[in-house]
Amino acid sequence: MIVTRRPLIAGNWKMNGLSGDGLALAGELARRIEDAADPAFDLLICPPFTLISRIGEALAGSAIALGGQDCHAVETGAHTGDISAAMLADSGCTHVIVGHSERRADHAETDTQVSAKVAAVRSAGLVAVLCIGETEAQRDAGETNAVVARQLADSLPDGATAMNTVIAYEPVWAIGTGRTPSVAEVEAVHALIRGDLAKRLGDDEAARLRLLYGGSVKPDNARELMSLADVDGALVGGASLKADDFWSIAQSSA
Ligand code: PGA
């Protein structure tokens, strides 16, 4: 079966953006995608919670999708400071990043907790962008494949489809550092992920599911990374905060 996967370029703004710069950035991207008429990629932006509703209003009618950066595993209740997937859906989101390594590190999120969040995202009718990836110590110890396979097995609940799930492979040591694995290394890990998904979901579903690479994706390395057979887009942090850089990365994926 020959499947063409439309690239997805996702911007993870992390804890960046006040209303002035955030709305200006979203507005600029909306203008560019409208001018592009028929872009060969999908764009997703994941602003901080505080800006989601206002950016959602600013993007109304635009082809740019809106996502949260995390959610709680349950829908409502006594969880001060948390946000549920249903709330994100209500605010105009279609996607939620789950299991980002900064959540795993800063908030000690386990695969089991991440799996429950992915399930919550699905229950709210949203798409989970599930992040997995090894630390530098794990890579140095030759454990990359084992760590990625274990995180995929333990943090992706059964029932994944190409419609409700995107997987982002993000080596922790590549995030915000300007370093990336070689293209051969990225290709090998993505092939491993696709192979594991095929065993769980069947060949056809696995072939349709988008696998993103994340970690220091910039305009000058995006074309090479995006040209890899099993790389179907990027999860972009720092470079997603500049319209020119994010747009250039998106164009490299087409
Ligand atoms: P970076 O972040 O592009 O700044 O390396 C990527 C991410 O954390 O998703």
Side-chain angles (χ1 to χ4, degrees), residues 71 73 96-101 103-104 109-122 127-134 146-160 164-170 193 196-197 200-201:
C71 67
V96 187
I97 298 171
V98 181
H100 190 281
S101 62
R103 300 286 320 170
R104 293 176 187 262
E109 287 187 13
T110 64
D111 284 331
T112 307
Q113 287 166 326
V114 172
S115 175
K117 290 183 179 201
V118 173
V121 170
R122 278 187 209 157
V127 180
V129 180
L130 170 63
C131 302
I132 54 178
E134 82 288 356
V147 168
V148 167
R150 192 195 66 233
Q151 288 184 338
L152 186 64
D154 293 350
S155 55
L156 182 66
D158 288 342
N164 66 21
T165 307
V166 172
I167 308 284
Y169 168 55
E170 297 206 306
I193 295 170
D196 280 6
L197 289 172
R200 281 183 68 182
L201 316 178

Side-chain angles (χ1 to χ4, degrees), residues 12 14 100 102 170 174-177 214-218 235-239:
N12 173 11
K14 310 192 181 186
H100 190 281
E102 287 153 13
E170 297 206 306
I175 294 176
T177 60
S216 295
V217 178
K218 307 282 179 217
L235 181 54
V236 186

Side-chain angles (χ1 to χ4, degrees), residues 57-221:
E57 283 160 20
L59 292 181
S62 151
I64 302 179
L66 188 62
Q69 299 174 13
D70 176 50
C71 67
H72 197 277
V74 304
E75 206 175 316
T76 55
H79 300 288
T80 303
D82 280 314
I83 306 278
S84 72
M87 291 169 177
L88 291 171
D90 186 50
S91 304
C93 289
T94 51
H95 292 67
V96 187
I97 298 171
V98 181
H100 190 281
S101 62
E102 287 153 13
R103 300 286 320 170
R104 293 176 187 262
D106 295 356
H107 301 270
E109 287 187 13
T110 64
D111 284 331
T112 307
Q113 287 166 326
V114 172
S115 175
K117 290 183 179 201
V118 173
V121 170
R122 278 187 209 157
S123 299
L126 305 181
V127 180
V129 180
L130 170 63
C131 302
I132 54 178
E134 82 288 356
T135 63
E136 184 151 36
Q138 289 165 332
R139 168 156 292 239
D140 290 346
E143 293 167 3
T144 298
N145 289 359
V147 168
V148 167
R150 192 195 66 233
Q151 288 184 338
L152 186 64
D154 293 350
S155 55
L156 182 66
D158 288 342
T161 68
M163 296 299 288
N164 66 21
T165 307
V166 172
I167 308 284
Y169 168 55
E170 297 206 306
V172 179
W173 54 273
I175 294 176
T177 60
R179 297 160 57 207
T180 60
S182 69
V183 286
E185 287 166 334
V186 172
E187 191 156 54
V189 175
H190 278 236
L192 169 94
I193 295 170
R194 181 100 49 210
D196 280 6
L197 289 172
K199 282 183 215 139
R200 281 183 68 182
L201 316 178
D203 290 343
D204 289 0
E205 203 60 39
R208 279 192 283 268
L209 200 149
R210 292 191 280 197
L211 305 185
L212 312 185
Y213 168 78
S216 295
V217 178
K218 307 282 179 217
D220 61 3
N221 61 17

